mmCIF file with all atom_site columns, all heavy atoms in Angstrom:
data_model
loop_
_atom_site.group_PDB
_atom_site.id
_atom_site.type_symbol
_atom_site.label_atom_id
_atom_site.label_alt_id
_atom_site.label_comp_id
_atom_site.label_asym_id
_atom_site.label_entity_id
_atom_site.label_seq_id
_atom_site.pdbx_PDB_ins_code
_atom_site.Cartn_x
_atom_site.Cartn_y
_atom_site.Cartn_z
_atom_site.occupancy
_atom_site.B_iso_or_equiv
_atom_site.pdbx_formal_charge
_atom_site.auth_seq_id
_atom_site.auth_comp_id
_atom_site.auth_asym_id
_atom_site.auth_atom_id
_atom_site.pdbx_PDB_model_num
ATOM 1  N N   . GLN A 1 6   ? 5.714  -5.753  -12.860 1.00 0.00 ? 17  GLN A N   1
ATOM 2  C CA  . GLN A 1 6   ? 4.406  -6.247  -12.442 1.00 0.00 ? 17  GLN A CA  1
ATOM 3  C C   . GLN A 1 6   ? 4.559  -7.688  -11.949 1.00 0.00 ? 17  GLN A C   1
ATOM 4  O O   . GLN A 1 6   ? 5.262  -8.489  -12.569 1.00 0.00 ? 17  GLN A O   1
ATOM 5  C CB  . GLN A 1 6   ? 3.430  -6.179  -13.635 1.00 0.00 ? 17  GLN A CB  1
ATOM 6  C CG  . GLN A 1 6   ? 1.993  -6.501  -13.205 1.00 0.00 ? 17  GLN A CG  1
ATOM 7  C CD  . GLN A 1 6   ? 0.996  -6.104  -14.271 1.00 0.00 ? 17  GLN A CD  1
ATOM 8  O OE1 . GLN A 1 6   ? 1.212  -5.163  -15.011 1.00 0.00 ? 17  GLN A OE1 1
ATOM 9  N NE2 . GLN A 1 6   ? -0.099 -6.849  -14.322 1.00 0.00 ? 17  GLN A NE2 1
ATOM 10 N N   . ALA A 1 30  ? 10.990 -3.673  13.178  1.00 0.00 ? 41  ALA A N   1
ATOM 11 C CA  . ALA A 1 30  ? 12.292 -3.199  12.700  1.00 0.00 ? 41  ALA A CA  1
ATOM 12 C C   . ALA A 1 30  ? 12.087 -1.980  11.787  1.00 0.00 ? 41  ALA A C   1
ATOM 13 O O   . ALA A 1 30  ? 13.008 -1.214  11.577  1.00 0.00 ? 41  ALA A O   1
ATOM 14 C CB  . ALA A 1 30  ? 13.017 -4.296  11.934  1.00 0.00 ? 41  ALA A CB  1
ATOM 15 N N   . ASP A 1 40  ? -3.340 -7.737  15.450  1.00 0.00 ? 51  ASP A N   1
ATOM 16 C CA  . ASP A 1 40  ? -2.672 -9.037  15.454  1.00 0.00 ? 51  ASP A CA  1
ATOM 17 C C   . ASP A 1 40  ? -3.154 -9.803  14.225  1.00 0.00 ? 51  ASP A C   1
ATOM 18 O O   . ASP A 1 40  ? -3.992 -9.265  13.443  1.00 0.00 ? 51  ASP A O   1
ATOM 19 C CB  . ASP A 1 40  ? -3.053 -9.841  16.723  1.00 0.00 ? 51  ASP A CB  1
ATOM 20 C CG  . ASP A 1 40  ? -2.416 -9.249  17.980  1.00 0.00 ? 51  ASP A CG  1
ATOM 21 O OD1 . ASP A 1 40  ? -1.260 -8.806  17.912  1.00 0.00 ? 51  ASP A OD1 1
ATOM 22 O OD2 . ASP A 1 40  ? -3.109 -9.246  19.011  1.00 0.00 ? 51  ASP A OD2 1
ATOM 23 N N   . ILE A 1 47  ? -4.050 -16.503 -1.044  1.00 0.00 ? 58  ILE A N   1
ATOM 24 C CA  . ILE A 1 47  ? -5.277 -16.586 -1.875  1.00 0.00 ? 58  ILE A CA  1
ATOM 25 C C   . ILE A 1 47  ? -5.669 -15.180 -2.330  1.00 0.00 ? 58  ILE A C   1
ATOM 26 O O   . ILE A 1 47  ? -5.950 -14.962 -3.520  1.00 0.00 ? 58  ILE A O   1
ATOM 27 C CB  . ILE A 1 47  ? -6.417 -17.297 -1.125  1.00 0.00 ? 58  ILE A CB  1
ATOM 28 C CG1 . ILE A 1 47  ? -6.041 -18.737 -0.883  1.00 0.00 ? 58  ILE A CG1 1
ATOM 29 C CG2 . ILE A 1 47  ? -7.733 -17.182 -1.917  1.00 0.00 ? 58  ILE A CG2 1
ATOM 30 C CD1 . ILE A 1 47  ? -6.971 -19.490 0.054   1.00 0.00 ? 58  ILE A CD1 1
ATOM 31 N N   . LEU A 1 62  ? 6.098  -4.701  -8.048  1.00 0.00 ? 73  LEU A N   1
ATOM 32 C CA  . LEU A 1 62  ? 7.185  -5.103  -7.155  1.00 0.00 ? 73  LEU A CA  1
ATOM 33 C C   . LEU A 1 62  ? 8.360  -4.169  -7.378  1.00 0.00 ? 73  LEU A C   1
ATOM 34 O O   . LEU A 1 62  ? 8.667  -3.759  -8.503  1.00 0.00 ? 73  LEU A O   1
ATOM 35 C CB  . LEU A 1 62  ? 7.619  -6.515  -7.481  1.00 0.00 ? 73  LEU A CB  1
ATOM 36 C CG  . LEU A 1 62  ? 6.525  -7.576  -7.409  1.00 0.00 ? 73  LEU A CG  1
ATOM 37 C CD1 . LEU A 1 62  ? 7.124  -8.956  -7.743  1.00 0.00 ? 73  LEU A CD1 1
ATOM 38 C CD2 . LEU A 1 62  ? 5.857  -7.579  -6.046  1.00 0.00 ? 73  LEU A CD2 1
ATOM 39 N N   . GLU A 1 65  ? 15.759 -4.662  -5.654  1.00 0.00 ? 76  GLU A N   1
ATOM 40 C CA  . GLU A 1 65  ? 17.083 -4.091  -5.622  1.00 0.00 ? 76  GLU A CA  1
ATOM 41 C C   . GLU A 1 65  ? 18.079 -5.218  -5.487  1.00 0.00 ? 76  GLU A C   1
ATOM 42 O O   . GLU A 1 65  ? 17.930 -6.088  -4.612  1.00 0.00 ? 76  GLU A O   1
ATOM 43 C CB  . GLU A 1 65  ? 17.226 -3.114  -4.434  1.00 0.00 ? 76  GLU A CB  1
ATOM 44 C CG  . GLU A 1 65  ? 18.471 -2.284  -4.443  1.00 0.00 ? 76  GLU A CG  1
ATOM 45 C CD  . GLU A 1 65  ? 18.390 -1.185  -3.389  1.00 0.00 ? 76  GLU A CD  1
ATOM 46 O OE1 . GLU A 1 65  ? 18.422 -1.514  -2.189  1.00 0.00 ? 76  GLU A OE1 1
ATOM 47 O OE2 . GLU A 1 65  ? 18.294 -0.005  -3.778  1.00 0.00 ? 76  GLU A OE2 1
ATOM 48 N N   . GLY A 1 95  ? 13.010 3.816   5.435   1.00 0.00 ? 106 GLY A N   1
ATOM 49 C CA  . GLY A 1 95  ? 13.816 5.018   5.767   1.00 0.00 ? 106 GLY A CA  1
ATOM 50 C C   . GLY A 1 95  ? 14.952 5.239   4.809   1.00 0.00 ? 106 GLY A C   1
ATOM 51 O O   . GLY A 1 95  ? 15.827 6.049   5.074   1.00 0.00 ? 106 GLY A O   1
ATOM 52 N N   . TYR A 1 105 ? 6.739  5.974   -8.674  1.00 0.00 ? 116 TYR A N   1
ATOM 53 C CA  . TYR A 1 105 ? 6.455  5.036   -9.761  1.00 0.00 ? 116 TYR A CA  1
ATOM 54 C C   . TYR A 1 105 ? 4.948  4.835   -9.889  1.00 0.00 ? 116 TYR A C   1
ATOM 55 O O   . TYR A 1 105 ? 4.401  4.831   -11.001 1.00 0.00 ? 116 TYR A O   1
ATOM 56 C CB  . TYR A 1 105 ? 7.148  3.700   -9.499  1.00 0.00 ? 116 TYR A CB  1
ATOM 57 C CG  . TYR A 1 105 ? 6.942  2.715   -10.629 1.00 0.00 ? 116 TYR A CG  1
ATOM 58 C CD1 . TYR A 1 105 ? 7.838  2.693   -11.698 1.00 0.00 ? 116 TYR A CD1 1
ATOM 59 C CD2 . TYR A 1 105 ? 5.877  1.847   -10.631 1.00 0.00 ? 116 TYR A CD2 1
ATOM 60 C CE1 . TYR A 1 105 ? 7.677  1.799   -12.748 1.00 0.00 ? 116 TYR A CE1 1
ATOM 61 C CE2 . TYR A 1 105 ? 5.706  0.960   -11.673 1.00 0.00 ? 116 TYR A CE2 1
ATOM 62 C CZ  . TYR A 1 105 ? 6.597  0.946   -12.724 1.00 0.00 ? 116 TYR A CZ  1
ATOM 63 O OH  . TYR A 1 105 ? 6.396  0.069   -13.777 1.00 0.00 ? 116 TYR A OH  1
ATOM 64 N N   . VAL A 1 110 ? -0.226 5.568   -12.674 1.00 0.00 ? 121 VAL A N   1
ATOM 65 C CA  . VAL A 1 110 ? -1.651 5.916   -12.507 1.00 0.00 ? 121 VAL A CA  1
ATOM 66 C C   . VAL A 1 110 ? -2.026 7.146   -13.336 1.00 0.00 ? 121 VAL A C   1
ATOM 67 O O   . VAL A 1 110 ? -3.050 7.131   -14.036 1.00 0.00 ? 121 VAL A O   1
ATOM 68 C CB  . VAL A 1 110 ? -1.996 6.096   -11.023 1.00 0.00 ? 121 VAL A CB  1
ATOM 69 C CG1 . VAL A 1 110 ? -3.332 6.773   -10.832 1.00 0.00 ? 121 VAL A CG1 1
ATOM 70 C CG2 . VAL A 1 110 ? -1.948 4.757   -10.315 1.00 0.00 ? 121 VAL A CG2 1
ATOM 71 N N   . MET A 1 114 ? -2.275 5.042   -16.967 1.00 0.00 ? 125 MET A N   1
ATOM 72 C CA  . MET A 1 114 ? -3.634 4.595   -16.741 1.00 0.00 ? 125 MET A CA  1
ATOM 73 C C   . MET A 1 114 ? -4.644 5.722   -16.915 1.00 0.00 ? 125 MET A C   1
ATOM 74 O O   . MET A 1 114 ? -5.848 5.497   -16.866 1.00 0.00 ? 125 MET A O   1
ATOM 75 C CB  . MET A 1 114 ? -3.757 3.953   -15.331 1.00 0.00 ? 125 MET A CB  1
ATOM 76 C CG  . MET A 1 114 ? -2.897 2.717   -15.175 1.00 0.00 ? 125 MET A CG  1
ATOM 77 S SD  . MET A 1 114 ? -2.793 2.113   -13.482 1.00 0.00 ? 125 MET A SD  1
ATOM 78 C CE  . MET A 1 114 ? -4.386 1.331   -13.285 1.00 0.00 ? 125 MET A CE  1
ATOM 79 N N   . LYS A 1 128 ? -0.777 8.354   12.561  1.00 0.00 ? 139 LYS A N   1
ATOM 80 C CA  . LYS A 1 128 ? -0.508 9.778   12.286  1.00 0.00 ? 139 LYS A CA  1
ATOM 81 C C   . LYS A 1 128 ? 0.823  9.996   11.558  1.00 0.00 ? 139 LYS A C   1
ATOM 82 O O   . LYS A 1 128 ? 0.889  10.836  10.656  1.00 0.00 ? 139 LYS A O   1
ATOM 83 C CB  . LYS A 1 128 ? -0.530 10.602  13.576  1.00 0.00 ? 139 LYS A CB  1
ATOM 84 C CG  . LYS A 1 128 ? -1.848 10.541  14.332  1.00 0.00 ? 139 LYS A CG  1
ATOM 85 C CD  . LYS A 1 128 ? -2.968 11.131  13.545  1.00 0.00 ? 139 LYS A CD  1
ATOM 86 C CE  . LYS A 1 128 ? -4.249 11.169  14.348  1.00 0.00 ? 139 LYS A CE  1
ATOM 87 N NZ  . LYS A 1 128 ? -5.457 11.202  13.531  1.00 0.00 ? 139 LYS A NZ  1
ATOM 88 N N   . GLU A 1 173 ? -3.434 16.824  -11.030 1.00 0.00 ? 184 GLU A N   1
ATOM 89 C CA  . GLU A 1 173 ? -2.774 18.140  -11.189 1.00 0.00 ? 184 GLU A CA  1
ATOM 90 C C   . GLU A 1 173 ? -1.831 18.454  -10.030 1.00 0.00 ? 184 GLU A C   1
ATOM 91 O O   . GLU A 1 173 ? -1.019 19.347  -10.130 1.00 0.00 ? 184 GLU A O   1
ATOM 92 C CB  . GLU A 1 173 ? -3.807 19.246  -11.362 1.00 0.00 ? 184 GLU A CB  1
ATOM 93 C CG  . GLU A 1 173 ? -4.808 19.397  -10.243 1.00 0.00 ? 184 GLU A CG  1
ATOM 94 C CD  . GLU A 1 173 ? -6.068 18.532  -10.379 1.00 0.00 ? 184 GLU A CD  1
ATOM 95 O OE1 . GLU A 1 173 ? -6.120 17.652  -11.238 1.00 0.00 ? 184 GLU A OE1 1
ATOM 96 O OE2 . GLU A 1 173 ? -6.998 18.764  -9.585  1.00 0.00 ? 184 GLU A OE2 1
#
Side-chain angles (χ1 to χ4, degrees):
Q17 188 166 329
D51 289 321
I58 294 170
L73 304 180
E76 191 170 68
Y116 184 89
V121 165
M125 297 170 76
K139 300 296 184 203
E184 59 270 13

